[in-house]
Amino acid sequence: MATKAEKIVAGLGGIENIDEIEGCITRLRTEVHDPGKVDEAALKAAGAHGVVKMGNAIQVVIGTDADPIAADIEDMM
């Protein structure tokens, strides 16, 4: 079974689509290569409470486990 981090990576369009990621209290702040590959429904299915899109900058609101999830995703990169 996929981890929460793996599901979020898939929702962000795959590891190759993520240029930057960092945890910020309750959010994952990301820069993606192609925002068209971001699947908001998949992110919500992975546990996101919300998704904020601003061009290539995507914020995934996931709660207090944002920092450990960001670390897990960084390990995949």
Side-chain angles (χ1 to χ4, degrees), residues 2 40 53-54 59 65:
E40 202 167 326
K53 295 181 179 181
M54 297 166 288
Q59 293 184 16
D65 54 350

Side-chain angles (χ1 to χ4, degrees), residues 27-68:
R27 296 170 183 243
L28 291 175
R29 296 180 186 265
T30 67
E31 290 281 333
V32 296
H33 180 69
D34 181 356
K37 292 183 177 179
V38 175
D39 183 343
E40 202 167 326
L43 290 169
K44 289 184 177 178
H49 303 291
V51 179
V52 180
K53 295 181 179 181
M54 297 166 288
N56 287 23
I58 311 292
Q59 293 184 16
V60 184
V61 182
I62 56 171
T64 56
D65 54 350
D67 286 326

